[in-house]
Amino acid sequence: MARLYYAPRLLLTLVALITIVVPYIADYNETHVLNPTWPGHARFHGGRTMSMGVYLGFMTLWKTWSRDQDHLWTATMLAATYYITQFSAYYYPGATAWDPPQHFSVPHVHLYVVVPMLSLVALAQIMERWRVSGIDDGGRKAL
């Protein structure tokens, strides 16, 4: 039964760690925050986005491993926040996924990150709901 207890938490931990680290890999470079052509306000938003990833990642870790009754539901919502907002960014006027000199031939390349991450979050929530409502081999309610 321990595997059922830890599997959703491990999935959310993976999402949280990726959320903390990957925005810095993607944005703290010469095409984004260190881009000399970016105005200060664009750097402000880039920095805010990276900081939001760190905050959401750590909040996800905290709620994933806390003993609160709603811990995994809250952790799921926190883990999904960064990726839902990343997907929504495509719908702002003039928004593009990449600026020169970067170029990717795949349209909406961020969806290759957003969809798998949201899938992991959803899978963790489904597994937890199944675990909590299920019965283990001994006929007892899984806790």
mmCIF file of all heavy atoms in Angstrom, residues 47-74:
data_model
loop_
_atom_site.group_PDB
_atom_site.id
_atom_site.type_symbol
_atom_site.label_atom_id
_atom_site.label_comp_id
_atom_site.label_asym_id
_atom_site.label_seq_id
_atom_site.Cartn_x
_atom_site.Cartn_y
_atom_site.Cartn_z
ATOM 1 N N GLY A 47 11.571 38.137 -14.642
ATOM 2 C CA GLY A 47 11.976 37.806 -13.280
ATOM 3 C C GLY A 47 10.807 37.361 -12.422
ATOM 4 O O GLY A 47 10.905 36.410 -11.643
ATOM 5 N N ARG A 48 9.679 38.037 -12.582
ATOM 6 C CA ARG A 48 8.487 37.658 -11.824
ATOM 7 C C ARG A 48 8.053 36.241 -12.188
ATOM 8 O O ARG A 48 7.696 35.447 -11.329
ATOM 9 C CB ARG A 48 7.340 38.626 -12.092
ATOM 10 C CG ARG A 48 6.130 38.307 -11.219
ATOM 11 C CD ARG A 48 4.856 38.862 -11.728
ATOM 12 N NE ARG A 48 4.623 38.303 -13.053
ATOM 13 C CZ ARG A 48 3.796 38.831 -13.930
ATOM 14 N NH1 ARG A 48 3.145 39.924 -13.654
ATOM 15 N NH2 ARG A 48 3.619 38.268 -15.101
ATOM 16 N N THR A 49 8.107 35.929 -13.457
ATOM 17 C CA THR A 49 7.696 34.597 -13.897
ATOM 18 C C THR A 49 8.616 33.520 -13.323
ATOM 19 O O THR A 49 8.144 32.468 -12.863
ATOM 20 C CB THR A 49 7.676 34.520 -15.429
ATOM 21 O OG1 THR A 49 6.765 35.511 -15.905
ATOM 22 C CG2 THR A 49 7.256 33.157 -15.923
ATOM 23 N N MET A 50 9.923 33.769 -13.338
ATOM 24 C CA MET A 50 10.851 32.793 -12.766
ATOM 25 C C MET A 50 10.619 32.651 -11.264
ATOM 26 O O MET A 50 10.599 31.532 -10.736
ATOM 27 C CB MET A 50 12.289 33.203 -13.055
ATOM 28 C CG MET A 50 12.651 33.093 -14.530
ATOM 29 S SD MET A 50 14.373 33.466 -14.892
ATOM 30 C CE MET A 50 14.497 35.182 -14.403
ATOM 31 N N SER A 51 10.423 33.756 -10.579
ATOM 32 C CA SER A 51 10.163 33.705 -9.137
ATOM 33 C C SER A 51 8.847 32.996 -8.837
ATOM 34 O O SER A 51 8.735 32.274 -7.840
ATOM 35 C CB SER A 51 10.138 35.117 -8.551
ATOM 36 O OG SER A 51 11.401 35.710 -8.661
ATOM 37 N N MET A 52 7.842 33.194 -9.691
ATOM 38 C CA MET A 52 6.569 32.510 -9.509
ATOM 39 C C MET A 52 6.766 30.998 -9.610
ATOM 40 O O MET A 52 6.161 30.233 -8.854
ATOM 41 C CB MET A 52 5.536 32.969 -10.541
ATOM 42 C CG MET A 52 4.186 32.301 -10.352
ATOM 43 S SD MET A 52 2.874 32.878 -11.446
ATOM 44 C CE MET A 52 3.571 32.616 -13.059
ATOM 45 N N GLY A 53 7.609 30.549 -10.528
ATOM 46 C CA GLY A 53 7.898 29.125 -10.643
ATOM 47 C C GLY A 53 8.513 28.571 -9.372
ATOM 48 O O GLY A 53 8.137 27.488 -8.895
ATOM 49 N N VAL A 54 9.463 29.307 -8.794
ATOM 50 C CA VAL A 54 10.090 28.869 -7.545
ATOM 51 C C VAL A 54 9.054 28.813 -6.425
ATOM 52 O O VAL A 54 8.962 27.827 -5.689
ATOM 53 C CB VAL A 54 11.263 29.804 -7.160
ATOM 54 C CG1 VAL A 54 11.771 29.503 -5.750
ATOM 55 C CG2 VAL A 54 12.390 29.673 -8.168
ATOM 56 N N TYR A 55 8.271 29.865 -6.299
ATOM 57 C CA TYR A 55 7.253 29.913 -5.246
ATOM 58 C C TYR A 55 6.238 28.772 -5.404
ATOM 59 O O TYR A 55 5.952 28.049 -4.444
ATOM 60 C CB TYR A 55 6.541 31.265 -5.270
ATOM 61 C CG TYR A 55 5.421 31.364 -4.277
ATOM 62 C CD1 TYR A 55 5.685 31.619 -2.938
ATOM 63 C CD2 TYR A 55 4.095 31.189 -4.674
ATOM 64 C CE1 TYR A 55 4.655 31.705 -2.015
ATOM 65 C CE2 TYR A 55 3.067 31.274 -3.754
ATOM 66 C CZ TYR A 55 3.347 31.531 -2.429
ATOM 67 O OH TYR A 55 2.333 31.610 -1.521
ATOM 68 N N LEU A 56 5.702 28.621 -6.609
ATOM 69 C CA LEU A 56 4.712 27.562 -6.833
ATOM 70 C C LEU A 56 5.323 26.177 -6.622
ATOM 71 O O LEU A 56 4.667 25.281 -6.080
ATOM 72 C CB LEU A 56 4.126 27.669 -8.235
ATOM 73 C CG LEU A 56 3.177 28.837 -8.452
ATOM 74 C CD1 LEU A 56 2.851 28.992 -9.932
ATOM 75 C CD2 LEU A 56 1.911 28.655 -7.646
ATOM 76 N N GLY A 57 6.555 25.994 -7.045
ATOM 77 C CA GLY A 57 7.219 24.707 -6.845
ATOM 78 C C GLY A 57 7.372 24.371 -5.372
ATOM 79 O O GLY A 57 7.063 23.254 -4.932
ATOM 80 N N PHE A 58 7.841 25.350 -4.585
ATOM 81 C CA PHE A 58 8.002 25.095 -3.153
ATOM 82 C C PHE A 58 6.661 24.935 -2.435
ATOM 83 O O PHE A 58 6.535 24.109 -1.532
ATOM 84 C CB PHE A 58 8.858 26.177 -2.486
ATOM 85 C CG PHE A 58 10.321 25.963 -2.693
ATOM 86 C CD1 PHE A 58 11.066 26.884 -3.398
ATOM 87 C CD2 PHE A 58 10.967 24.832 -2.201
ATOM 88 C CE1 PHE A 58 12.418 26.689 -3.607
ATOM 89 C CE2 PHE A 58 12.325 24.623 -2.403
ATOM 90 C CZ PHE A 58 13.056 25.560 -3.109
ATOM 91 N N MET A 59 5.650 25.700 -2.839
ATOM 92 C CA MET A 59 4.319 25.523 -2.255
ATOM 93 C C MET A 59 3.759 24.134 -2.595
ATOM 94 O O MET A 59 3.124 23.482 -1.764
ATOM 95 C CB MET A 59 3.361 26.613 -2.741
ATOM 96 C CG MET A 59 3.667 27.993 -2.193
ATOM 97 S SD MET A 59 3.543 28.095 -0.402
ATOM 98 C CE MET A 59 1.800 27.851 -0.185
ATOM 99 N N THR A 60 4.010 23.689 -3.824
ATOM 100 C CA THR A 60 3.579 22.346 -4.223
ATOM 101 C C THR A 60 4.268 21.290 -3.363
ATOM 102 O O THR A 60 3.622 20.354 -2.876
ATOM 103 C CB THR A 60 3.858 22.104 -5.717
ATOM 104 O OG1 THR A 60 3.120 23.061 -6.483
ATOM 105 C CG2 THR A 60 3.480 20.693 -6.140
ATOM 106 N N LEU A 61 5.579 21.436 -3.163
ATOM 107 C CA LEU A 61 6.298 20.476 -2.315
ATOM 108 C C LEU A 61 5.742 20.479 -0.891
ATOM 109 O O LEU A 61 5.526 19.413 -0.292
ATOM 110 C CB LEU A 61 7.794 20.807 -2.283
ATOM 111 C CG LEU A 61 8.566 20.518 -3.554
ATOM 112 C CD1 LEU A 61 9.987 21.050 -3.441
ATOM 113 C CD2 LEU A 61 8.576 19.022 -3.854
ATOM 114 N N TRP A 62 5.503 21.655 -0.352
ATOM 115 C CA TRP A 62 4.997 21.760 1.019
ATOM 116 C C TRP A 62 3.642 21.073 1.152
ATOM 117 O O TRP A 62 3.426 20.260 2.045
ATOM 118 C CB TRP A 62 4.927 23.230 1.429
ATOM 119 C CG TRP A 62 4.249 23.447 2.744
ATOM 120 C CD1 TRP A 62 4.553 22.859 3.948
ATOM 121 C CD2 TRP A 62 3.140 24.301 2.983
ATOM 122 N NE1 TRP A 62 3.697 23.308 4.920
ATOM 123 C CE2 TRP A 62 2.824 24.196 4.363
ATOM 124 C CE3 TRP A 62 2.397 25.155 2.183
ATOM 125 C CZ2 TRP A 62 1.784 24.909 4.924
ATOM 126 C CZ3 TRP A 62 1.369 25.867 2.765
ATOM 127 C CH2 TRP A 62 1.071 25.743 4.123
ATOM 128 N N LYS A 63 2.718 21.399 0.253
ATOM 129 C CA LYS A 63 1.385 20.821 0.352
ATOM 130 C C LYS A 63 1.374 19.336 -0.020
ATOM 131 O O LYS A 63 0.567 18.574 0.503
ATOM 132 C CB LYS A 63 0.388 21.596 -0.511
ATOM 133 C CG LYS A 63 0.099 22.994 -0.002
ATOM 134 C CD LYS A 63 -0.400 23.004 1.437
ATOM 135 C CE LYS A 63 -1.844 22.606 1.537
ATOM 136 N NZ LYS A 63 -2.400 22.728 2.899
ATOM 137 N N THR A 64 2.258 18.917 -0.908
ATOM 138 C CA THR A 64 2.328 17.504 -1.283
ATOM 139 C C THR A 64 2.690 16.635 -0.087
ATOM 140 O O THR A 64 2.136 15.552 0.085
ATOM 141 C CB THR A 64 3.359 17.302 -2.412
ATOM 142 O OG1 THR A 64 2.918 17.997 -3.573
ATOM 143 C CG2 THR A 64 3.560 15.834 -2.743
ATOM 144 N N TRP A 65 3.605 17.105 0.733
ATOM 145 C CA TRP A 65 4.116 16.280 1.820
ATOM 146 C C TRP A 65 3.540 16.657 3.185
ATOM 147 O O TRP A 65 3.918 16.072 4.194
ATOM 148 C CB TRP A 65 5.637 16.325 1.828
ATOM 149 C CG TRP A 65 6.166 15.691 0.593
ATOM 150 C CD1 TRP A 65 6.617 16.315 -0.537
ATOM 151 C CD2 TRP A 65 6.237 14.294 0.313
ATOM 152 N NE1 TRP A 65 6.972 15.397 -1.492
ATOM 153 C CE2 TRP A 65 6.754 14.145 -0.998
ATOM 154 C CE3 TRP A 65 5.917 13.146 1.034
ATOM 155 C CZ2 TRP A 65 6.955 12.895 -1.578
ATOM 156 C CZ3 TRP A 65 6.122 11.908 0.442
ATOM 157 C CH2 TRP A 65 6.638 11.789 -0.843
ATOM 158 N N SER A 66 2.600 17.608 3.237
ATOM 159 C CA SER A 66 1.984 17.967 4.521
ATOM 160 C C SER A 66 0.921 16.935 4.885
ATOM 161 O O SER A 66 0.499 16.135 4.070
ATOM 162 C CB SER A 66 1.372 19.367 4.445
ATOM 163 O OG SER A 66 0.172 19.346 3.702
ATOM 164 N N ARG A 67 0.482 16.996 6.110
ATOM 165 C CA ARG A 67 -0.525 16.043 6.600
ATOM 166 C C ARG A 67 -1.928 16.646 6.612
ATOM 167 O O ARG A 67 -2.846 16.035 7.126
ATOM 168 C CB ARG A 67 -0.162 15.577 8.013
ATOM 169 C CG ARG A 67 1.149 14.850 8.087
ATOM 170 C CD ARG A 67 0.983 13.471 7.569
ATOM 171 N NE ARG A 67 2.228 12.734 7.736
ATOM 172 C CZ ARG A 67 2.413 11.537 7.266
ATOM 173 N NH1 ARG A 67 1.454 10.943 6.608
ATOM 174 N NH2 ARG A 67 3.552 10.935 7.428
ATOM 175 N N ASP A 68 -2.101 17.841 6.059
ATOM 176 C CA ASP A 68 -3.424 18.454 5.990
ATOM 177 C C ASP A 68 -4.379 17.547 5.223
ATOM 178 O O ASP A 68 -3.969 16.828 4.320
ATOM 179 C CB ASP A 68 -3.381 19.808 5.268
ATOM 180 C CG ASP A 68 -2.523 20.820 5.983
ATOM 181 O OD1 ASP A 68 -2.186 20.592 7.149
ATOM 182 O OD2 ASP A 68 -2.186 21.834 5.356
ATOM 183 N N GLN A 69 -5.647 17.626 5.562
ATOM 184 C CA GLN A 69 -6.618 16.758 4.891
ATOM 185 C C GLN A 69 -6.737 17.069 3.402
ATOM 186 O O GLN A 69 -6.921 16.172 2.587
ATOM 187 C CB GLN A 69 -7.980 16.877 5.559
ATOM 188 C CG GLN A 69 -8.937 15.812 5.088
ATOM 189 C CD GLN A 69 -10.150 15.739 5.971
ATOM 190 O OE1 GLN A 69 -10.511 16.692 6.632
ATOM 191 N NE2 GLN A 69 -10.785 14.580 5.991
ATOM 192 N N ASP A 70 -6.629 18.332 3.024
ATOM 193 C CA ASP A 70 -6.772 18.698 1.614
ATOM 194 C C ASP A 70 -5.423 18.829 0.905
ATOM 195 O O ASP A 70 -5.349 19.364 -0.183
ATOM 196 C CB ASP A 70 -7.545 20.017 1.486
ATOM 197 C CG ASP A 70 -6.681 21.225 1.788
ATOM 198 O OD1 ASP A 70 -5.695 21.090 2.541
ATOM 199 O OD2 ASP A 70 -6.977 22.297 1.262
ATOM 200 N N HIS A 71 -4.380 18.317 1.503
ATOM 201 C CA HIS A 71 -3.025 18.554 1.019
ATOM 202 C C HIS A 71 -2.832 18.252 -0.461
ATOM 203 O O HIS A 71 -2.270 19.064 -1.187
ATOM 204 C CB HIS A 71 -2.010 17.789 1.851
ATOM 205 C CG HIS A 71 -2.096 16.306 1.686
ATOM 206 N ND1 HIS A 71 -3.105 15.566 2.259
ATOM 207 C CD2 HIS A 71 -1.330 15.449 1.000
ATOM 208 C CE1 HIS A 71 -2.942 14.300 1.930
ATOM 209 N NE2 HIS A 71 -1.874 14.196 1.166
ATOM 210 N N LEU A 72 -3.280 17.125 -0.937
ATOM 211 C CA LEU A 72 -2.998 16.777 -2.323
ATOM 212 C C LEU A 72 -3.861 17.552 -3.317
ATOM 213 O O LEU A 72 -3.420 17.853 -4.422
ATOM 214 C CB LEU A 72 -3.113 15.273 -2.553
ATOM 215 C CG LEU A 72 -2.006 14.720 -3.447
ATOM 216 C CD1 LEU A 72 -0.631 15.006 -2.883
ATOM 217 C CD2 LEU A 72 -2.186 13.274 -3.714
ATOM 218 N N TRP A 73 -5.071 17.899 -2.933
ATOM 219 C CA TRP A 73 -5.893 18.721 -3.823
ATOM 220 C C TRP A 73 -5.251 20.093 -3.984
ATOM 221 O O TRP A 73 -5.114 20.607 -5.090
ATOM 222 C CB TRP A 73 -7.319 18.833 -3.289
ATOM 223 C CG TRP A 73 -8.161 19.737 -4.134
ATOM 224 C CD1 TRP A 73 -8.600 20.983 -3.817
ATOM 225 C CD2 TRP A 73 -8.619 19.484 -5.473
ATOM 226 N NE1 TRP A 73 -9.316 21.515 -4.857
ATOM 227 C CE2 TRP A 73 -9.338 20.614 -5.890
ATOM 228 C CE3 TRP A 73 -8.490 18.416 -6.354
ATOM 229 C CZ2 TRP A 73 -9.929 20.708 -7.145
ATOM 230 C CZ3 TRP A 73 -9.090 18.507 -7.603
ATOM 231 C CH2 TRP A 73 -9.788 19.636 -7.982
ATOM 232 N N THR A 74 -4.838 20.695 -2.891
ATOM 233 C CA THR A 74 -4.180 22.003 -2.946
ATOM 234 C C THR A 74 -2.869 21.904 -3.712
ATOM 235 O O THR A 74 -2.564 22.759 -4.547
ATOM 236 C CB THR A 74 -3.932 22.543 -1.528
ATOM 237 O OG1 THR A 74 -5.172 22.587 -0.826
ATOM 238 C CG2 THR A 74 -3.320 23.929 -1.563
#
